[in-house]
């Protein structure tokens, strides 16, 4: 058995009468007049292979084990299929059972299983239509992202997962320690060692990163255009359908680039990545469009084709104030926009993706470049129909004196940022970048309604199973 064997997706391209083998898991089996029809999937494409087993071809013992969930190799001949929706099928001449699956116990055969139930069997759900499609699209999207940056000369950077700096001055970080109170666990990481951070593993408090941006900036001011694509962690104790405790983030950072260039990059990025997925995952997206989100293909094509509208935060607030809508959260200059406001702007008012810029400095991070008005910063959020904010970014503050003042205004200590400030001390440059939550993008391109269903194993409050 070699890994270079034929995938199911390649079998569909074979000429009739070719002898071949098909490896996979049985989705369903239907018997009719002495013939068995088996739907076989190996996850290589959306479509299952139909295998036809005529009476007497397989021993009774082998045939008995061909049930939903079983892993089987069928040997046989490619034949033209009389059935609709498929050009060819496999006429079996033999089969080997690799692993049977007791039909009384196999958890994935329940018809109409809910997303919640499937989440409890996350280790098996990938064998079904929906999650096979989700994880093929996830892999395709990751490739499209790397390709977008590779084609433009960006360098892929790995920033630390364990960090002693808190990127935004916000809380909600996971501590990393070998000096915790004993909780009666055998695991040495849980044994009580010390309560003094100086005696802890890193000699100071350490955390799982919430963003690779600050380290990304240091790399951009040397390599010019870089991006990170890795896991980030937030200990937000909120169980929403849009938040994970562990999620993947894409963060490009560009030297010699201002907010204008940043907007151009973000717009091109979304168009190209979504365009790549539309082109290369067509069968999977067709399924999502039919079964998960009826507006899916329409809105994705729309994002690829239409120029994004660009507005300032102040203009957007005026539009919202004049909208005549009653929102749950009040709108006023200085307010943080909620997803209801973002969706109204992009879906109702503009009808296209919108990039909002120049937010009040109080509601954005300290590192965003201050405008001449002293009130707003060079921030940008990309809002998309159906989801609201999908990308957040900014031109960074490159002036040492302003940055030092901003860190203090935000009540943060200067000392831990010595290396970040060094960038402004030695060879500072205008630079900009943005962050995209990878699972938010996947929710957008698949139409899946819960972020827990676009990552293989979700980490959320109360859950770290698998
Ligand atoms: P939100 O308001 O939705 O919590 P945020 O303002 O905290 O987002 P940023 O700090 O700007 O988000 O993070 C950059 C991107 O990371 C966001 O645009 C979003 O796509 C994604 N993101 C943020 N928090 C989470 C999370 N808990 N789970 C998954 N993705 C997230
Ligand atoms: Mn948040």
């Amino acid at each position: 058995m070699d890994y270079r064997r034929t995938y199911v997706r390649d079998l569909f391209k074979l000429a009739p009468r070719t002898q071949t083998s098909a490896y996979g898991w049985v989705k369903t089996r239907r018997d009719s007049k002495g013939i068995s029809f088996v739907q076989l999937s190996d996850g290589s494409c959306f479509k299952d292979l139909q295998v036809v087993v005529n009476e007497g071809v397989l021993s009774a013992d082998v045939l008995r084990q061909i049930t939903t969930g079983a892993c089987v190799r069928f040997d046989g001949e490619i034949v033209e299929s009389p059935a609709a929706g498929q050009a060819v099928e496999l006429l079996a001449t033999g089969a080997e059972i690799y692993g049977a699956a007791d039909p009384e116990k196999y958890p994935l055969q329940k018809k109409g299983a809910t997303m919640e139930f499937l989440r409890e069997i996350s280790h098996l759900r990938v064998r079904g239509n929906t999650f096979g499609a989700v994880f093929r699209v996830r892999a395709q999207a990751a490739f499209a992202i790397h390709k977008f940056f590779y084609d433009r000369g960006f360098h892929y950077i790995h920033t630390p997962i364990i960090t002693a700096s808190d990127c935004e001055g916000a809380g909600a970080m996971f501590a990393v320690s070998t000096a915790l109170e004993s909780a009666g666990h055998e695991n040495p990481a849980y044994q009580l060692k010390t309560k003094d951070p100086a005696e802890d593993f890193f000699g100071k408090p350490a955390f799982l990163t919430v963003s690779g941006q600050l380290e990304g900036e240091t790399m951009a001011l040397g390599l010019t255009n870089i991006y990170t694509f890795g896991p980030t962690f937030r200990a937000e104790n909120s169980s929403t359908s849009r938040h994970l405790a562990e999620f993947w983030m894409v963060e490009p950072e560009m030297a010699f680039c201002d907010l204008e260039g940043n907007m151009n990059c973000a717009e091109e990025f979304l168009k190209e990545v979504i365009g790549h997925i539309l082109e290369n995952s067509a069968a999977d997206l067709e399924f999502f469009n039919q079964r998960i989100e009826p507006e899916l293909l329409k809105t994705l094509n729309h994002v690829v084709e239409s120029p994004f509208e660009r507005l300032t935060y102040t203009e957007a607030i005026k539009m919202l104030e004049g909208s005549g809508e009653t929102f749950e959260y009040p709108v006023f200059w200085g307010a943080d926009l909620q997803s209801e406001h973002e969706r109204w702007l992009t879906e109702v008012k503009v009808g296209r993706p919108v990039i909002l810029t120049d937010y009040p400095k109080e509601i954005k991070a300290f590192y965003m470049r201050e405008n001449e008005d002293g009130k707003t910063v060079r921030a940008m959020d990309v809002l998309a129909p159906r989801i609201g904010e999908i990308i957040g970014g900014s031109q960074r503050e490159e002036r040492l004196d302003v940055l030092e003042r901003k860190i203090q205004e935000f009540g943060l200590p200067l000392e831990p940022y010595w290396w970040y400030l060094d960038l402004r001390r030695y060879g500072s440059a205008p630079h900009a970048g943005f962050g995209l939550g990878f699972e938010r993008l996947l929710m957008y391109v698949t139409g899946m309604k819960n972020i827990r269903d676009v990552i293989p194993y979700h980490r959320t409050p109360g859950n770290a199973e698998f």
Side-chain angles (χ1 to χ4, degrees), residues 7 53 58 83-84 92 115 132 164 166 210 229 248 266 281 320 329 331 341 380 382 386 392-393 406 411 444:
Y7 292 118
V53 186
L58 303 179
M115 293 293 169
D166 172 348
V210 294
F229 186 178
W248 286 63
S281 297
L320 285 158
Y329 293 88
V331 178
H341 309 132
M380 63 164 207
V382 182
R386 207 155 53 67
K406 286 293 290 290
Y444 196 64

Side-chain angles (χ1 to χ4, degrees), residues 168 234 236 242-244 247 249 389-392 435-437 440 451:
E168 320 238 337
R234 296 195 185 176
E236 313 177 288
R242 293 154 36 84
H243 289 89
L244 292 166
F247 64 100
M249 193 133 70
E389 180 190 333
I390 187 159
I391 281 178
L436 164 93
R440 296 270 177 93
I451 197 165

Side-chain angles (χ1 to χ4, degrees), residues 382-429:
V382 182
L383 317 179
R386 207 155 53 67
I387 194 167
E389 180 190 333
I390 187 159
I391 281 178
S394 66
Q395 184 174 338
R396 319 305 189 188
E397 185 56 74
E398 85 283 17
R399 298 163 296 187
L400 180 62
D401 55 333
V402 182
L403 187 59
E404 282 180 335
R405 168 169 63 71
K406 286 293 290 290
I407 290 176
Q408 285 163 318
E409 278 174 15
F410 274 72
L412 299 170
L414 281 172
E415 192 278 324
Y417 293 101
W418 67 272
W419 51 272
Y420 189 65
L421 292 162
D422 262 4
L423 296 179
R424 282 74 181 169
R425 255 178 219 118
Y426 311 114
S428 192

Side-chain angles (χ1 to χ4, degrees), residues 3-16:
Y3 79 94
R4 283 167 294 199
R5 47 168 194 74
T6 312
Y7 292 118
V8 161
R9 68 168 185 224
D10 304 319
L11 297 181
F12 292 114
K13 296 172 208 148
L14 295 179

Side-chain angles (χ1 to χ4, degrees), residues 25 27 41 43 45-46 48 106 108 118 124-136 284 287:
W25 291 266
K27 279 240 186 92
S41 162
C45 62
F46 185 79
D48 302 328
Y106 184 57
L108 199 67
L118 292 169
L124 296 173
R125 64 180 181 174
V126 65
R127 297 186 192 175
N129 284 339
T130 306
F131 290 94
V134 165
F135 296 118
R136 274 189 302 274
D284 291 324
F287 167 80

